[in-house]
Amino acid sequence: LKNDSGIHGVAFNATLAIYRADQPGSCATECDFFDSNIARGVDAAIAAGAKVINMSLGGSAPDSNLIAAMQRAANAGIIMIISAGNDGDKPEGINPDPFAQVSAQLFPNNVIIAGSVGNLGTGLDQISSFSNKAGTGVAYYLTAQGSRVRTYDKDGVQTLWSGTSFAAPVISGAVALIAQAFPNLTPRQILDLLFTTADDLGAVGDDTIFGHGRLNLTRAFTPQGVTSLA
């Protein structure tokens, strides 16, 4: 709900189709997501006419059943935003989760890997300490604020949350706005627009920390390329 006094999100007028993919009863400590459940969610989103699918989850590479569902989503022109992972303080954190990495490699025209920027007291110019970095996923990686994101907990209380699971919906919202404003754009063109208009952070150009950089939705809505008149 947009009321200009609390939370209204990025694409606050978007129609949401929300599907639970966790295994019932598994979330007492850490939720389990089986590929079969995720695949059913992807197919439900396709049937609902989704333009973008947000996957704030990660882990091992998707199985053949889920890959087939993601192929159906790609065939339907849907963009999938997948969290990079929250192992930034571990050796494996130099690359995105295998779930995100393999999905992006299989569907490079339809997948963005979402990393997080922001740490307490450092602003949004630094990679979040918990965020998996671009690593070998440079070509598909984009960052957005995922640290201290204000949203609601399970009891409806406004809470500050951190994780690449919260950076991914920011990018999903950006995709929704672009797709609404420019319905003629293909998924690949939307990805290229967000990648080329991102704020360049870290080393000049694409790099193994920030990938393409930090989402800049304002710049994405400004004229791009060469303008010609008949």
Side-chain angles (χ1 to χ4, degrees):
L1 175 66
K2 181 182 184 300
N3 58 15
D4 294 322
S5 64
I7 302 167
H8 61 253
V10 178
F12 49 81
N13 280 331
T15 299
L16 301 180
I18 302 173
Y19 305 103
R20 288 191 63 170
D22 57 291
Q23 185 66 14
S26 71
C27 290
T29 54
E30 185 174 276
C31 297
D32 292 329
F33 295 87
F34 293 141
D35 284 10
S36 57
N37 292 337
I38 302 172
R40 283 195 290 270
V42 170
D43 282 330
I46 297 170
K51 296 296 184 183
V52 56
I53 296 176
N54 184 84
M55 297 186 190
S56 288
L57 46 81
S60 57
D63 67 11
S64 58
N65 181 47
L66 179 51
I67 289 172
M70 296 175 78
Q71 180 66 70
R72 291 189 287 274
N75 293 344
I78 297 173
I79 294 174
M80 293 165 276
I81 313 299
I82 306 176
S83 299
N86 299 323
D87 295 318
D89 58 346
K90 302 175 183 177
E92 58 267 31
I94 63 172
N95 298 310
D97 270 352
F99 184 87
Q101 177 78 24
V102 172
S103 299
Q105 290 172 337
L106 290 171
F107 307 105
N109 294 324
N110 298 82
V111 171
I112 295 176
I113 300 175
S116 172
V117 288
N119 290 293
L120 184 60
T122 65
L124 301 179
D125 292 333
Q126 300 295 320
I127 196 79
S128 298
S129 59
F130 53 78
S131 178
N132 286 47
K133 301 171 183 63
T136 53
V138 168
Y140 328 103
Y141 190 98
L142 183 66
T143 67
Q145 181 177 355
S147 176
R148 297 175 61 79
V149 176
R150 184 176 297 277
T151 185
Y152 297 98
D153 67 9
K154 61 181 178 62
D155 299 315
V157 178
Q158 289 192 24
T159 308
L160 296 176
W161 296 88
S162 296
T164 56
S165 288
F166 299 94
V170 175
I171 299 175
S172 293
V175 169
L177 291 176
I178 294 291
Q180 178 189 43
F182 308 109
N184 58 311
L185 293 182
T186 66
R188 180 69 252 175
Q189 289 172 326
I190 292 176
L191 265 60
D192 287 342
L193 179 62
L194 294 178
F195 289 159
T196 57
T197 59
D199 295 326
D200 189 16
L201 300 178
V204 176
D206 299 345
D207 64 82
T208 57
I209 304 297
F210 297 96
H212 290 285
R214 180 184 59 208
L215 174 72
N216 187 328
L217 188 54
T218 299
R219 187 180 296 164
F221 269 91
T222 59
Q224 303 295 319
V226 178
T227 300
S228 60
L229 298 176

